[in-house]
């Protein structure tokens, strides 16, 4: 089905009434808007690179660290569960904060909480306290909340028929830091030798510093706030009607839109399948004698699949339609589960499966995020986007917990088969949506 774009943005000569900066109250000129879009995107790209680095450094060895501290493989899945619990717990409060104060306030808070969580992880590892380690991982996961929210910040000021590409460009920027992160896990571990900190906790020391720098970049440079500016452009009187952007209004918007519900399922199912498989891959590799360096390479390839090709997914989503790329996501994730699940002792086949899994996740996240933004009114978008991140991370947290138990009791192959089954509701809703006549997209 061909995607039906919004009506093009209407630009007015001179100053646009109500489109004001949250810092200076200076009106945004119609001729200044393209430059503002580029500048906001540049800041978001910079923070995505930093944030991706911080997340990937720690997450690459989170399951291994959890196994070391807990002393049992069955509890290693709790590492990914705790990591995604942070974004899940923070999603709704963060959405409420962004709805009232803008993107900048929410992003700064998320990065600082991520830094604090990384410090607690290091402390938990040093004193060999598994509960403290899990608490730290919950906070550490907040850093990924910022990176997830940044994709929606990229869409705030984007032209309607380029939303998916705007989202995908910011997602792509994570590639640089995310691919580099797992490969510097070893030197990060060596850097804490002699300090009483396990080598597998060393990456979290580095992650804490990276998150602090990310928060500073957002606080200083993400001005004017893209969400507040977009809201003022769409409706100059929006600031006087806060009830339209409440969390309740966001939930109502989702209930009233079948496309929004499809988008939520797409994002949640893609993310849960990816987290479940990816989080247990390091454990599966260690069963066959793989070391930290090989695990880092496999995870780096997976992350490259997640982010490096996101501009292609954005272009396809804008050109072919959101539903077409959602269908592509279903196919890619299913193939990835088959490849990885039958890899056995072959690290090369495992790496290929994880790379394809990353591609499927990218297709699902970009197309689902664009469809979600398309499908709800401007005032409710921040709340709906927060709901989306809450649902995806809650589902992924349950998936991560279940993944550890499945691998412990049945193995890595059955885990991949079960993860593929998560695609069935997503595929069914996509087919149903394809049979329904497409309506106009929210401006």
């Amino acid at each position: 089905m061909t995607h039906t774009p919004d009506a093009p943005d209407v630009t007015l000569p001179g100053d646009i009434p109500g489109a004001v900066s949250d810092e200076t109250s200076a009106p945004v000129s119609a001729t200044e808007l393209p430059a503002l879009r580029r500048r906001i995107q540049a800041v978001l790209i910079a923070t995505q690179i930093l944030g991706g680095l911080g997340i990937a450094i720690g997450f690459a060895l989170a399951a291994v660290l959890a196994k070391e501290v807990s002393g049992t493989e069955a509890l290693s899945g709790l590492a990914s569960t705790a990591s995604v619990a942070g974004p899940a717990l923070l999603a709704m409060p963060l959405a409420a904060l962004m709805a009232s104060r803008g993107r900048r306030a929410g992003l700064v808070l998320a990065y600082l909480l991520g830094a604090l969580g990384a410090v607690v992880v290091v402390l938990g590892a040093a004193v060999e306290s598994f509960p403290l380690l899990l608490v730290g991982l919950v906070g550490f996961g907040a850093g990924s909340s910022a990176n997830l929210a940044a994709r929606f910040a990229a869409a705030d000021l984007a032209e309607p028929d380029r939303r998916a590409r705007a989202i995908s460009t910011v997602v792509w920027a994570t590639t640089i830091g995310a691919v580099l992160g797992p490969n510097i896990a070893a030197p990060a571990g060596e850097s804490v030798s002699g300090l009483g900190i396990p080598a597998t906790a060393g990456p979290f020391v580095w992650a804490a510093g990276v998150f602090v720098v990310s928060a500073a970049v957002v606080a200083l440079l993400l001005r004017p706030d893209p969400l507040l500016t977009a809201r003022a452009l769409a409706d100059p009187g929006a600031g006087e009607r806060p009830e339209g952007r409440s969390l309740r209004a966001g939930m109502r918007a989702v209930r009233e839109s079948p496309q929004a519900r499809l988008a939520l399922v797409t994002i949640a199912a893609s993310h849960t399948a990816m987290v479940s498989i990816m989080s247990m891959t390091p454990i599966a590799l260690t069963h066959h004698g793989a070391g930290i360096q090989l695990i880092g390479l496999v995870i780096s390839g997976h992350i490259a699949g997640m982010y490096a090709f996101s501009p292609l997914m954005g272009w396809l989503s804008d050109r072919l339609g959101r539903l077409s790329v959602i269908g592509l996501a279903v196919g890619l994730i299913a193939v990835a589960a088959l490849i990885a699940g039958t890899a056995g002792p072959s690290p090369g086949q495992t790496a290929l499966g994880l790379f394809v899994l990353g591609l499927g996740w990218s297709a699902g996240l970009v197309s689902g995020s664009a469809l979600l933004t398309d499908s709800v009114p401007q005032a409710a978008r921040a709340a709906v986007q927060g709901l989306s991140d809450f649902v995806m991370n809650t589902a992924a947290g349950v998936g991560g917990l279940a993944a550890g138990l499945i691998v412990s009791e049945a193995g890595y192959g059955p885990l991949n088969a079960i993860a593929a089954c998560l695609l069935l509701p997503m595929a069914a809703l996509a087919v149903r949506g394809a049979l329904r006549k497409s309506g106009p997209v929210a401006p």
Side-chain angles (χ1 to χ4, degrees), residues 248-263:
R248 181 176 297 178
M251 294 179 186
R252 183 170 60 249
V254 171
R255 287 197 302 269
E256 295 173 353
S257 171
Q259 287 189 325
R261 294 196 294 272
L262 168 60

mmCIF file of all heavy atoms in Angstrom, residues 248-263:
data_model
loop_
_atom_site.group_PDB
_atom_site.id
_atom_site.type_symbol
_atom_site.label_atom_id
_atom_site.label_comp_id
_atom_site.label_asym_id
_atom_site.label_seq_id
_atom_site.Cartn_x
_atom_site.Cartn_y
_atom_site.Cartn_z
ATOM 1 N N ARG A 248 -3.400 11.085 29.323
ATOM 2 C CA ARG A 248 -4.729 10.538 29.058
ATOM 3 C C ARG A 248 -5.159 10.833 27.624
ATOM 4 O O ARG A 248 -5.736 9.971 26.948
ATOM 5 C CB ARG A 248 -5.740 11.122 30.053
ATOM 6 C CG ARG A 248 -7.155 10.593 29.870
ATOM 7 C CD ARG A 248 -8.079 11.123 30.948
ATOM 8 N NE ARG A 248 -7.655 10.675 32.270
ATOM 9 C CZ ARG A 248 -8.270 11.028 33.403
ATOM 10 N NH1 ARG A 248 -9.322 11.837 33.361
ATOM 11 N NH2 ARG A 248 -7.833 10.575 34.564
ATOM 12 N N ALA A 249 -4.865 12.057 27.164
ATOM 13 C CA ALA A 249 -5.199 12.403 25.784
ATOM 14 C C ALA A 249 -4.406 11.543 24.800
ATOM 15 O O ALA A 249 -4.923 11.160 23.743
ATOM 16 C CB ALA A 249 -4.906 13.885 25.535
ATOM 17 N N GLY A 250 -3.151 11.227 25.146
ATOM 18 C CA GLY A 250 -2.349 10.368 24.285
ATOM 19 C C GLY A 250 -2.938 8.971 24.178
ATOM 20 O O GLY A 250 -3.001 8.395 23.089
ATOM 21 N N MET A 251 -3.354 8.402 25.304
ATOM 22 C CA MET A 251 -3.963 7.074 25.275
ATOM 23 C C MET A 251 -5.252 7.080 24.474
ATOM 24 O O MET A 251 -5.553 6.131 23.735
ATOM 25 C CB MET A 251 -4.223 6.605 26.714
ATOM 26 C CG MET A 251 -2.957 6.369 27.526
ATOM 27 S SD MET A 251 -3.321 5.848 29.221
ATOM 28 C CE MET A 251 -1.667 5.833 29.925
ATOM 29 N N ARG A 252 -6.024 8.153 24.610
ATOM 30 C CA ARG A 252 -7.256 8.256 23.841
ATOM 31 C C ARG A 252 -6.963 8.319 22.347
ATOM 32 O O ARG A 252 -7.666 7.697 21.534
ATOM 33 C CB ARG A 252 -8.043 9.490 24.272
ATOM 34 C CG ARG A 252 -9.395 9.634 23.571
ATOM 35 C CD ARG A 252 -10.247 10.720 24.199
ATOM 36 N NE ARG A 252 -9.596 12.019 24.137
ATOM 37 C CZ ARG A 252 -9.126 12.681 25.197
ATOM 38 N NH1 ARG A 252 -9.198 12.128 26.399
ATOM 39 N NH2 ARG A 252 -8.562 13.868 25.059
ATOM 40 N N ALA A 253 -5.907 9.028 21.971
ATOM 41 C CA ALA A 253 -5.531 9.130 20.562
ATOM 42 C C ALA A 253 -5.166 7.769 19.989
ATOM 43 O O ALA A 253 -5.496 7.457 18.838
ATOM 44 C CB ALA A 253 -4.371 10.111 20.398
ATOM 45 N N VAL A 254 -4.493 6.933 20.781
ATOM 46 C CA VAL A 254 -4.134 5.595 20.316
ATOM 47 C C VAL A 254 -5.373 4.725 20.164
ATOM 48 O O VAL A 254 -5.520 3.979 19.181
ATOM 49 C CB VAL A 254 -3.121 4.942 21.276
ATOM 50 C CG1 VAL A 254 -2.906 3.471 20.931
ATOM 51 C CG2 VAL A 254 -1.791 5.685 21.235
ATOM 52 N N ARG A 255 -6.287 4.795 21.128
ATOM 53 C CA ARG A 255 -7.516 3.996 21.038
ATOM 54 C C ARG A 255 -8.326 4.339 19.796
ATOM 55 O O ARG A 255 -8.979 3.474 19.205
ATOM 56 C CB ARG A 255 -8.379 4.223 22.290
ATOM 57 C CG ARG A 255 -7.846 3.574 23.546
ATOM 58 C CD ARG A 255 -8.930 3.486 24.607
ATOM 59 N NE ARG A 255 -9.477 4.797 24.942
ATOM 60 C CZ ARG A 255 -9.016 5.582 25.911
ATOM 61 N NH1 ARG A 255 -7.979 5.185 26.639
ATOM 62 N NH2 ARG A 255 -9.575 6.741 26.164
ATOM 63 N N GLU A 256 -8.271 5.595 19.390
ATOM 64 C CA GLU A 256 -9.084 6.051 18.262
ATOM 65 C C GLU A 256 -8.424 5.820 16.908
ATOM 66 O O GLU A 256 -9.040 6.078 15.874
ATOM 67 C CB GLU A 256 -9.399 7.548 18.431
ATOM 68 C CG GLU A 256 -10.281 7.843 19.641
ATOM 69 C CD GLU A 256 -10.435 9.336 19.901
ATOM 70 O OE1 GLU A 256 -9.738 10.129 19.204
ATOM 71 O OE2 GLU A 256 -11.232 9.702 20.784
ATOM 72 N N SER A 257 -7.177 5.344 16.885
ATOM 73 C CA SER A 257 -6.457 5.198 15.624
ATOM 74 C C SER A 257 -5.941 3.770 15.433
ATOM 75 O O SER A 257 -5.005 3.354 16.115
ATOM 76 C CB SER A 257 -5.278 6.175 15.567
ATOM 77 O OG SER A 257 -4.461 5.916 14.448
ATOM 78 N N PRO A 258 -6.516 2.992 14.499
ATOM 79 C CA PRO A 258 -5.988 1.652 14.216
ATOM 80 C C PRO A 258 -4.529 1.685 13.761
ATOM 81 O O PRO A 258 -3.754 0.774 14.089
ATOM 82 C CB PRO A 258 -6.908 1.140 13.094
ATOM 83 C CG PRO A 258 -8.166 1.933 13.233
ATOM 84 C CD PRO A 258 -7.732 3.284 13.722
ATOM 85 N N GLN A 259 -4.144 2.722 13.012
ATOM 86 C CA GLN A 259 -2.761 2.824 12.559
ATOM 87 C C GLN A 259 -1.815 3.030 13.731
ATOM 88 O O GLN A 259 -0.701 2.492 13.746
ATOM 89 C CB GLN A 259 -2.616 3.962 11.551
ATOM 90 C CG GLN A 259 -3.210 3.657 10.186
ATOM 91 C CD GLN A 259 -2.860 4.718 9.172
ATOM 92 O OE1 GLN A 259 -2.773 5.909 9.481
ATOM 93 N NE2 GLN A 259 -2.647 4.298 7.934
ATOM 94 N N ALA A 260 -2.245 3.811 14.729
ATOM 95 C CA ALA A 260 -1.403 4.018 15.906
ATOM 96 C C ALA A 260 -1.227 2.713 16.679
ATOM 97 O O ALA A 260 -0.143 2.418 17.186
ATOM 98 C CB ALA A 260 -2.004 5.095 16.807
ATOM 99 N N ARG A 261 -2.294 1.915 16.746
ATOM 100 C CA ARG A 261 -2.186 0.622 17.443
ATOM 101 C C ARG A 261 -1.236 -0.316 16.702
ATOM 102 O O ARG A 261 -0.426 -1.023 17.324
ATOM 103 C CB ARG A 261 -3.566 -0.002 17.597
ATOM 104 C CG ARG A 261 -4.495 0.779 18.521
ATOM 105 C CD ARG A 261 -5.685 -0.064 18.948
ATOM 106 N NE ARG A 261 -6.555 -0.400 17.825
ATOM 107 C CZ ARG A 261 -7.561 0.369 17.406
ATOM 108 N NH1 ARG A 261 -7.800 1.531 18.006
ATOM 109 N NH2 ARG A 261 -8.321 -0.021 16.400
ATOM 110 N N LEU A 262 -1.312 -0.325 15.384
ATOM 111 C CA LEU A 262 -0.377 -1.126 14.599
ATOM 112 C C LEU A 262 1.060 -0.669 14.838
ATOM 113 O O LEU A 262 1.967 -1.494 14.989
ATOM 114 C CB LEU A 262 -0.713 -1.033 13.111
ATOM 115 C CG LEU A 262 0.339 -1.576 12.126
ATOM 116 C CD1 LEU A 262 0.608 -3.054 12.378
ATOM 117 C CD2 LEU A 262 -0.098 -1.345 10.686
ATOM 118 N N ALA A 263 1.250 0.630 14.882
ATOM 119 C CA ALA A 263 2.595 1.169 15.110
ATOM 120 C C ALA A 263 3.134 0.728 16.465
ATOM 121 O O ALA A 263 4.308 0.338 16.589
ATOM 122 C CB ALA A 263 2.568 2.691 15.017
#
